[in-house]
Amino acid sequence: MAVTVTKKKAVRKPEKKRTLTWAVLKSQQQLIWMSVPLTLYIILFAYVPIWGWTMAFQNYKPARSFSQQDWVGFKQFKFLFTDDDFMRVLRNTIGMSFINLVLGFVTAIVLALLLNEIRKVVWKRTVQTISYLPHFLSWVIVTGIVATSLAFDGIINDVLMKLHLIKEPILWLSEGKYFWGIVGASHVWKEVGWNTIIYLAAMASIDPALYEAAEMDGASRYRKMFHVTLPGIKSTIVILLIMSIGHILDAGFEVQYLLGNGLVVDWAETIDIFVLKYGIAQGNYSLATAGGIFKTVVSVALLLVANWTAKRLGEERLL
């Protein structure tokens, strides 16, 4: 009589998820203590001031207590969206932010790719050091250099005239059509070297075997840049792009305020300057707060949309 033996398959018990217990907290107490100062900083300067958003819905008067303020609802927001000056500064802010975003990304990635191809470490470090030194200069100094270079008798006009590109000197800071380009070029000169640091760090993590395999297949240096280096840092590019889109309404304040003048005011004012000029300077703190809320809400919305788009495309994302 034949006897059949059936083997029972071993049932693998599902792994228990690691819950947040006192043992876990105790094992990571060094990290927790290290994060306490940063957490307190964020709470103090990022979340506690949100209480002041109530001013945007009031006709705020500094001499009155909170209970004595007149509540006006969305009056300040209605004024913003129907005011021609605010629409103008919104156009300027988006325009300059877009220029800074495109120029900043393209120039930083191109410079990082070129620096990565330099074989001699001495030359690579020298060029990198020279390129990111302007980052440590304040905008007051940078705008002074820019204004001097773009003056009627400045070096820019002298070089262009000697190259026969222009026939007579141009007052660059007196014509609005040049202002956005000047701001974008100033941002590139100041920040391009600093922005390349993250890309160079990402390139350093690429497996050298990929370059060796591409070289064995006959790929040139340019082919390796496009088919090995750029795909290797794609996730870093996407993450930084998402973060930059969240700051699309942060076109800047110092450079526009310091380089701007009465002749280019229609092209130079941003939301921050509008808030300072028509809100804080005139004592209309409710209007200034409404402008700040608008920037914050739009920035968060753009960040979430960019993150969702990256998720749908299968790219890296923040959330």
Side-chain angles (χ1 to χ4, degrees), residues 125-134 189 193:
R125 292 179 178 176
T126 301
V127 174
Q128 187 177 0
T129 302
I130 294 174
S131 64
Y132 72 64
L133 279 178
W189 178 75

Side-chain angles (χ1 to χ4, degrees), residues 51-61 64-77 284-287 289:
W51 169 259
W53 280 12
T54 56
M55 289 191 296
F57 307 96
Q58 302 170 344
N59 186 15
Y60 181 77
K61 301 297 181 183
R64 298 180 182 178
S65 63
F66 180 78
S67 59
Q68 295 175 336
Q69 300 295 336
D70 297 328
W71 293 84
V72 295
F74 292 94
K75 178 182 177 181
Q76 304 297 340
F77 294 95
N284 192 349
Y285 301 105
S286 298
L287 180 63
T289 306

Side-chain angles (χ1 to χ4, degrees), residues 28 43 60 81 154 227 229 232 282:
Q28 299 182 358
I43 293 174
Y60 181 77
F81 299 136
H227 297 287
T229 307
Q282 297 183 8

Side-chain angles (χ1 to χ4, degrees), residues 224-254:
K224 287 186 285 186
M225 288 170 58
F226 283 103
H227 297 287
V228 179
T229 307
L230 281 177
I233 64 173
K234 184 176 68 171
S235 59
T236 303
I237 295 174
V238 172
I239 292 295
L240 293 178
L241 179 61
I242 293 173
M243 296 175 63
S244 299
I245 290 176
H247 293 279
I248 198 69
L249 292 184
D250 291 328
F253 171 79
E254 296 94 342

Side-chain angles (χ1 to χ4, degrees), residues 40-50 53:
L40 293 177
Y41 175 84
I42 294 175
I43 293 174
L44 182 61
F45 292 100
Y47 289 98
V48 173
I50 291 179
W53 280 12

Side-chain angles (χ1 to χ4, degrees), residues 143-155:
T143 52
I145 296 173
V146 171
T148 303
S149 302
L150 295 176
F152 188 79
D153 55 349
I155 187 174

Side-chain angles (χ1 to χ4, degrees), residues 70-89:
D70 297 328
W71 293 84
V72 295
F74 292 94
K75 178 182 177 181
Q76 304 297 340
F77 294 95
K78 292 179 181 178
F79 175 79
L80 285 179
F81 299 136
T82 56
D83 184 55
D84 293 336
D85 289 335
F86 184 76
M87 293 294 105
R88 173 175 53 81
V89 301

